[in-house]
Amino acid sequence: MKLISWNVNGLRACVKKGFMESFAALDADFFCLQETKLQAGQIDLELPGYCQYWNYAEKKGYSGTAIFTRHAPLSVSCGLGVEEHDHEGRVITLEMDEFYLVCVYVPNSQDGLKRLGYRMSWEDDFRAYLGSLRQRKGVIVCGDMNVAHNEIDLKNPATNHMNPGFTDEERGKMTELLGSGFLDSFRTLHPEERDAYSWWSFRTNARARNVGWRIDYFLVSEELRERVGGASIHPEVMGSDHCPVELVLT
């Protein structure tokens, strides 16, 4: 079973840059999107064989998540069930027979770290939400988590220390989440791999020079560890400032 996660940085724009071709080539059972930047009715995707689930932000042209799946879920929910957090379309959860699949677009701390305090509150509530799911069955979390966890996960750690996405606080929350019973599938299978990134700034020709960050993840709860058959990144897939990441579940 193949799962793909991709921050498309605006799905309508990505469709004009080859999204449908990439979707077909990646041929996933579950295809999870972040930063769709859509409202209901703004796009009509023909995806034969897939069910489509969307969570839209109330603010137009902002945030948003979606999951396309070949496997009908037992149930679908949007958000965390926390009023403060559930206006930006950041979370979709599918309950499957053997696991929960959570697609997430974690809030960015923004320039000047002006949203770092909110981000810390969001992280705690998100971790609690995942813990509540995990009491029932295994959990797979995927998406743009807006943090490079360790120095190996970005090209220039020294000059980016305390920038959004590489603050001690954000990294600490990822450490807490992993410590609560989750594993980073890519690092579990590729612990020493360097220059493996999923996001590149549009500035200074960063992608061509592979000056990037790994901020897109598949996290898997410990119950599912033995089912992790593969984890990879697809930098060859264009259309966004992020590229897709993949999990193979056996």
Side-chain angles (χ1 to χ4, degrees):
M1 183 180 293
K2 181 194 286 190
L3 301 91
I4 290 287
S5 176
W6 191 8
N7 178 321
V8 291
N9 191 24
L11 183 55
R12 285 174 294 177
C14 193
V15 164
K16 296 176 182 177
K17 300 174 184 176
F19 173 82
M20 295 303 296
E21 292 80 1
S22 296
F23 179 85
L26 288 165
D27 191 28
D29 294 278
F30 296 88
F31 210 104
C32 302
L33 304 183
Q34 304 86 46
E35 211 171 358
T36 54
K37 297 182 180 178
L38 288 170
Q39 307 303 122
Q42 287 190 307
I43 198 168
D44 183 16
L45 292 181
E46 293 291 333
L47 304 174
Y50 287 85
C51 301
Q52 302 183 29
Y53 301 100
W54 302 80
N55 190 6
Y56 306 104
E58 293 179 5
K59 179 180 177 181
K60 292 183 179 179
Y62 180 73
S63 187
T65 48
I67 301 179
F68 311 142
T69 173
R70 287 174 170 152
H71 306 278
L74 302 177
S75 65
V76 182
S77 63
C78 293
L80 301 180
V82 178
E83 172 65 21
E84 179 186 12
H85 303 315
D86 288 350
H87 299 276
E88 296 185 354
R90 294 188 176 275
V91 178
I92 301 178
T93 302
L94 302 190
E95 181 184 3
M96 311 305 296
D97 287 332
E98 298 180 332
F99 57 84
Y100 288 97
L101 174 62
V102 181
C103 173
V104 62
Y105 178 38
V106 173
N108 190 301
S109 293
Q110 300 187 349
D111 292 342
L113 303 179
K114 61 186 178 183
R115 218 180 185 200
L116 181 61
Y118 172 72
R119 165 80 178 260
M120 295 296 97
S121 170
W122 197 95
E123 292 273 7
D124 290 339
D125 290 337
F126 184 58
R127 189 174 64 256
Y129 172 72
L130 297 180
S132 69
L133 296 180
R134 195 171 166 231
Q135 291 177 2
R136 286 167 264 174
K137 62 182 76 173
V139 178
I140 299 169
V141 185
C142 70
D144 176 359
M145 304 192 76
N146 261 316
V147 61
H149 186 214
N150 292 311
E151 291 190 354
I152 194 175
D153 295 316
L154 73 167
K155 189 68 171 183
N156 296 313
T159 55
N160 281 296
H161 182 227
M162 296 310 292
N163 283 342
F166 199 59
T167 64
D168 296 340
E169 292 87 347
E170 291 162 316
R171 297 169 67 194
K173 290 300 182 185
M174 176 60 88
T175 298
E176 283 188 62
L177 177 53
L178 295 174
S180 72
F182 287 85
L183 58 93
D184 174 350
S185 62
F186 183 81
R187 276 290 163 238
T188 298
L189 297 184
H190 310 279
E192 305 298 330
E193 185 168 339
R194 296 185 173 274
D195 301 321
Y197 308 127
S198 64
W199 174 79
W200 303 262
S201 170
F202 281 131
R203 303 170 185 168
T204 67
N205 207 28
R207 188 160 187 170
R209 297 185 296 120
N210 199 28
V211 179
W213 300 48
R214 189 177 71 91
I215 60 175
D216 300 88
Y217 296 81
F218 270 100
L219 307 184
V220 177
S221 65
E222 290 287 352
E223 299 86 351
L224 300 171
R225 174 187 288 266
E226 298 305 315
R227 295 191 61 185
V228 176
S232 55
I233 302 174
H234 290 278
E236 76 283 359
V237 177
M238 308 300 284
S240 169
D241 52 347
H242 295 249
C243 74
V245 296
E246 176 180 323
L247 173 71
V248 175
L249 207 64
T250 60

